[in-house]
Amino acid sequence: GAVVSQHPSRVICKSGTSVKIECRSLDFQATTMFWYRQFPKKSLMLMATSNEGSKATYEQGVEKDKFLINHASLTLSTLTVTSAHPEDSSFYICSARGGREGQPQHFGDGTRLSIL
Amino acid sequence: AQKITQTQPGMFVQEKEAVTLDCTYDTSDQSYGLFWYKQPSSGEMIFLIYQGSYDEQNATEGRYSLNFQKARKSANLVISASQLGDSAMYFCAIPSTDSWGKLQFGAGTQVVVTP
């Protein structure tokens, strides 16, 4: 069964709307979660590292004011796309992993965001 | 910085045949790992197999196996006895130097299995 749950799976909304995406680790605690973005037919690009109880670490070129990340508990990280515009349309996917080296990342099922 | 390369954008393979997906990497780390993930058209990322750089044997997991050649910095995925359900994008990934959790993905290879 899924170990990382991501919700919603699909969002279609108007330009200017803010959209919140949730990522939950179901049967383990995740002090760190990761948010990726994927354009059609392209690879996953890491956007940011979500740290429980502290600020997220953003990759170069990612606007932190556009993509707000909150990691308020050991099982939940949220990504909010603020004032979304059509260019923010993409597939967003989160991941978390166990603590030991060699343990794989477990991914959520992703969120397909379409901004009209 | 880590670099990971998948040179095959797409491949067709007949059902029941084996297919090899290429992956080469560049890293300055002495200890590292390599992951392979499968992404069907529905979008979820499915973990397939892991190879540690110090593992002496090639990793195997059911129909998936890794042809790990450390000196050549390659970690090719072999899928044996292909099934129609194997049609998907396949990504090779390597953890970042500063955080094992941060994965850098290759460009991916689209596999289409035909009857």
Side-chain angles (χ1 to χ4, degrees):
Chain A
V3 295
V4 175
S5 171
Q6 187 172 341
H7 178 81
S9 58
R10 176 100 201 206
V11 180
I12 303 172
C13 58
K14 291 181 180 178
S15 187
T17 307
S18 291
V19 178
K20 181 186 280 188
I21 303 169
E22 293 187 349
C23 181
R24 295 181 185 272
S25 57
L26 296 182
D27 55 4
F28 64 100
Q29 293 182 334
T31 55
T32 307
M33 293 185 179
F34 303 90
W35 288 95
Y36 294 83
R37 183 175 182 175
Q38 186 181 28
F39 290 104
K41 308 291 185 188
K42 298 293 184 184
S43 188
L44 279 73
M45 298 294 295
L46 179 67
M47 296 175 66
T49 303
S50 174
N51 304 301
E52 187 269 333
S54 65
K55 289 182 181 178
T57 307
Y58 291 82
E59 295 300 302
Q60 196 170 12
V62 178
E63 298 176 61
K64 60 182 179 182
D65 294 331
K66 160 67 79 173
F67 300 103
L68 298 179
I69 291 171
N70 185 283
H71 195 149
S73 77
L74 286 170
T75 58
L76 174 64
S77 173
T78 60
L79 168 69
T80 301
V81 184
T82 61
S83 187
H85 289 95
E87 59 266 27
D88 299 323
S89 298
S90 192
F91 187 66
Y92 294 88
I93 191 165
C94 69
S95 73
R97 69 168 190 97
R100 299 198 323 270
E101 278 193 8
Q103 286 193 328
Q105 293 279 2
H106 293 286
F107 285 83
D109 285 347
T111 298
R112 227 168 272 283
L113 176 63
S114 300
I115 308 298
L116 305 177
Chain B
Q2 319 288 72
K3 186 177 178 182
I4 193 141
T5 304
Q6 293 178 257
T7 58
Q8 306 152 308
M11 298 182 74
F12 285 95
V13 60
Q14 259 193 321
E15 208 176 357
K16 298 180 186 175
E17 290 188 350
V19 61
T20 298
L21 308 182
D22 294 342
C23 173
T24 58
Y25 59 90
D26 193 14
T27 178
S28 56
D29 291 347
Q30 296 300 308
S31 175
Y32 55 89
L34 290 145
F35 297 87
W36 276 92
Y37 284 87
K38 170 185 178 181
Q39 187 180 41
S41 58
S42 51
E44 70 267 31
M45 293 290 284
I46 302 167
F47 166 71
L48 296 179
I49 196 167
Y50 165 78
Q51 178 81 46
S53 60
Y54 284 107
D55 294 340
E56 292 185 354
Q57 291 193 333
N58 286 339
T60 61
E61 194 70 50
R63 293 187 298 110
Y64 304 108
S65 61
L66 268 176
N67 182 2
F68 182 51
Q69 298 185 41
K70 193 172 178 178
R72 296 180 63 183
K73 293 191 173 179
S74 75
N76 299 336
L77 177 70
V78 180
I79 306 173
S80 61
S82 296
Q83 302 172 356
L84 295 177
D86 294 334
S87 294
M89 278 289 277
Y90 289 81
F91 292 99
C92 181
I94 189 168
S96 169
T97 300
D98 61 324
S99 170
W100 187 268
K102 289 165 63 172
L103 290 178
Q104 184 161 349
F105 287 87
T109 297
Q110 179 74 52
V111 172
V112 176
V113 181
T114 59

